[in-house]
Amino acid sequence: MNTSYKPLVESLQLKNKMELKNRVVLAPMTNFSSHPDGTVSDAEIDYYIRRSKGVGMVITACTNVTANGKGFHGEFGGDHDGMIPSLSRLAASIKEQGAKAVLQIFHGGRECPPELVPNGETVSASAVASEGSSHTPRELTEKEVEDIIAAFGETTRRAIEAGFDGVEIHGANGYLIQQFFSPHSNRREDRFGGSLEKRMAFPLAVVEEVQKTVQEHAKEPFIVGYRFSPEEPTTPGITMDDTLHLVDVLSDKGLDYLHVSLMDFWSKPRRGADESKTRIEHLLETINNRVPLIGVGSIHTPDEAAKALEAGVAMVALGRELIMEPDWVQKVQEGKESEIAVTLSKKDQEKLVIPDPLWQAIVNTPGWFPVVD
């Protein structure tokens, strides 16, 4: 194998003493392919098996912690104990391939399609619609907020019972945790809203509840990670400076990793921080080696992945690339990087083991994947 790629396949020991066999992570990608009742489908299991052989860690698509948190059609559920057998199948299928299995847990908040939630009633930090949406959510009561915090703990318990190696708290991409952190969506005047510190209260309460559940129920090391988006385009909205404050606090919470959500690994801040530095540089300076950071965003080739690790992140997450090339890690290890696929053909669905709903989204969403005929 090319020696410049060796850092990609070095092992990594997390804070909880669990060891990952390499630094490449399957990014959490929604696949729209579970059954309507929230159980995992055979097609989904096969999709994960195909992509779990080379990477050190698999972060699954998100699973909702309450019935009114379902954000996607074809999303698998984690909101009641009846889902444990389904989640167990998913965890086992990933772990049998040699990767650590991490369940991403979330609540969609105001981003949930009304037809997927009880009575069509979406909820959020405040009664503020998303940009461009005509649908206004209902503001959660303080008791409901506390119930959702508890639900993150309960879904963590289910993940432990189902055999997962960890959970990732999804505080990114505009979903409920981010809605509480954002001055755009959070206009509350109670202890969960107002100042930057108060807007951090819900995210931090979720972290504490999840960690408490792990202490109570996990009999062996169990990963807890946290994913965040660095900025919002809206005014008011989350600025880079806001996020650096949150990341500074999270870095002292004993998490196993932080995971930034970016479309471009090398992107620079929009506002609220020195725009001559990349967002990754700002984050690494703030974290200051207290917790590993997963970087992501338009990393396709081994050269790009190695360069990302050189920048200081502990791991790189690949999403679209592992869909197009499930054997990415193996080809790097075998010195066959020239054979890595960087495009899709419309004939590739069966070969790549991609469930039909995800395949339809791929071929019908212009610009998402490089699809060639």
Side-chain angles (χ1 to χ4, degrees):
M1 106 180 247
N2 185 323
T3 54
S4 61
Y5 304 148
K6 280 211 167 138
L8 290 166
V9 295
E10 287 174 358
S11 63
L12 175 69
Q13 190 167 327
L14 300 175
K15 260 204 173 101
N16 66 10
K17 304 293 190 282
M18 189 180 285
E19 189 170 287
L20 307 183
K21 67 181 181 182
N22 62 47
R23 308 302 180 100
V24 183
V25 176
L26 175 63
M29 297 270 287
T30 300
N31 56 57
F32 316 106
S33 301
S34 292
H35 296 303
D37 68 354
T39 54
V40 178
S41 67
D42 290 345
E44 213 168 2
I45 295 285
D46 292 341
Y47 162 86
Y48 277 107
I49 288 172
R50 185 69 187 87
R51 283 161 183 81
S52 300
K53 291 179 172 71
V55 297
M57 182 165 74
V58 169
I59 305 170
T60 70
C62 53
T63 189
N64 47 297
V65 301
T66 63
N68 67 355
K70 188 169 184 174
F72 302 94
H73 289 271
E75 176 188 312
F76 52 85
D79 57 314
H80 59 87
D81 283 4
M83 288 298 174
I84 293 173
S86 166
L87 293 172
S88 296
R89 281 190 71 207
L90 180 58
S93 68
I94 293 167
K95 291 167 68 171
E96 282 163 8
Q97 313 312 312
K100 300 301 182 190
V102 173
L103 182 71
Q104 192 185 61
I105 55 176
F106 97 135
H107 188 297
R110 67 182 185 180
E111 299 303 319
C112 294
E115 68 271 19
L116 293 184
V117 298
N119 305 317
E121 182 183 63
T122 59
V123 295
S124 186
S126 299
V128 179
S130 301
E131 288 279 289
S133 171
S134 58
H135 186 83
T136 301
R138 176 178 65 75
E139 179 173 313
L140 289 158
T141 67
E142 201 165 332
K143 169 72 166 62
E144 287 174 317
V145 176
E146 290 167 355
D147 288 345
I148 290 173
I149 292 165
F152 272 95
E154 280 291 277
T155 301
T156 300
R157 174 185 59 77
R158 293 178 195 116
I160 293 166
E161 291 181 17
F164 277 94
D165 296 301
V167 293
E168 176 174 279
I169 299 163
H170 193 359
N173 301 5
Y175 300 119
L176 186 67
I177 292 176
Q178 183 175 324
Q179 288 162 33
F180 269 85
F181 184 51
S182 168
H184 179 276
S185 40
N186 186 346
R187 315 284 172 94
R188 301 174 74 95
E189 295 178 352
D190 61 6
R191 63 193 171 102
F192 291 109
S195 66
L196 177 64
E197 281 67 32
K198 285 185 169 182
R199 285 187 281 111
M200 283 198 265
F202 180 75
L204 295 176
V206 170
V207 169
E208 286 171 17
E209 184 70 21
V210 167
Q211 290 179 319
K212 186 179 86 174
T213 302
V214 171
Q215 284 176 339
E216 286 175 12
H217 294 277
K219 297 185 171 54
E220 49 197 45
F222 190 83
I223 296 165
V224 179
Y226 185 99
R227 194 171 204 211
F228 62 94
S229 291
E231 294 183 80
E232 290 178 324
T234 54
T235 303
I238 296 167
T239 66
M240 195 70 212
D241 187 55
D242 290 342
T243 289
L244 294 176
H245 275 91
L246 175 63
V247 164
D248 185 41
V249 175
L250 288 172
S251 295
D252 284 333
K253 289 293 178 189
L255 291 160
D256 291 294
Y257 69 81
L258 295 176
H259 184 184
V260 61
S261 180
L262 289 171
M263 286 301 291
D264 175 10
F265 182 92
W266 303 104
S267 61
K268 293 181 176 173
R270 196 179 272 117
R271 60 177 183 221
D274 180 351
E275 291 165 26
S276 69
K277 292 181 181 175
T278 65
R279 288 161 166 160
I280 292 284
E281 285 177 293
H282 280 290
L283 292 167
L284 289 170
E285 281 178 15
T286 299
I287 291 167
N288 194 24
N289 297 315
R290 286 177 287 170
V291 62
L293 178 65
I294 300 179
V296 70
S298 301
I299 296 169
H300 301 294
T301 67
D303 283 330
E304 290 167 343
K307 191 179 168 195
L309 284 187
E310 278 173 29
V313 296
M315 294 167 268
V316 289
L318 306 180
R320 287 170 296 178
E321 192 48 52
L322 282 166
I323 288 179
M324 294 188 289
E325 180 54 86
D327 298 318
W328 194 96
V329 176
Q330 296 94 311
K331 287 184 176 178
V332 170
Q333 288 174 313
E334 293 163 10
K336 296 178 180 174
E337 58 272 9
S338 61
E339 297 175 20
I340 288 174
V342 291
T343 59
L344 280 177
S345 156
K346 289 187 176 172
K347 304 183 192 77
D348 284 347
Q349 181 183 4
E350 196 173 324
K351 178 182 81 172
L352 294 175
V353 194
I354 298 175
D356 201 52
L358 176 57
W359 182 253
Q360 294 306 320
I362 287 170
V363 295
N364 293 309
T365 309
W368 188 23
F369 277 76
V371 179
V372 295
D373 287 316

